[in-house]
Amino acid sequence: MVTKTTVKTKCDVKDCKNSAEFAFETKGRQGRCFLCKECYEKLLDEGRKLRIPKSPQNAIKKQLDRRAEEQNYVEK
């Protein structure tokens, strides 16, 4: 999805004049978005803040419930 770029270009983020190190494909006329390392790291940090981690207890409970359901299943 995000790749290192070999093209010498500037970062596409507003008011950023750094050289781009990463690029990703976009829809539309431009086709690619270029990011410098600093902007890429900021984007990752903001994404991590928005992502809510799932509790491991939920996954364990789900497996236990599935096993209990399988054990209680009676063929007719």
Side-chain angles (χ1 to χ4, degrees), residues 36-48:
C36 65
K37 188 171 183 170
E38 292 81 20
C39 293
Y40 179 68
E41 291 295 326
K42 287 179 187 177
L43 184 66
L44 287 176
D45 288 340
E46 287 182 25
R48 286 182 189 124

Side-chain angles (χ1 to χ4, degrees), residues 17-64:
K17 304 293 183 195
N18 296 333
S19 296
E21 294 183 30
F22 301 97
F24 62 91
E25 300 293 324
T26 60
K27 284 185 176 181
R29 194 167 191 183
Q30 189 174 359
R32 275 191 182 165
C33 183
F34 294 96
L35 298 169
C36 65
K37 188 171 183 170
E38 292 81 20
C39 293
Y40 179 68
E41 291 295 326
K42 287 179 187 177
L43 184 66
L44 287 176
D45 288 340
E46 287 182 25
R48 286 182 189 124
K49 289 177 187 175
L50 294 175
R51 183 178 175 273
I52 300 169
K54 293 185 178 181
S55 170
Q57 293 296 329
N58 290 342
I60 294 169
K61 185 178 181 322
K62 191 178 202 180
Q63 286 179 350
L64 291 175

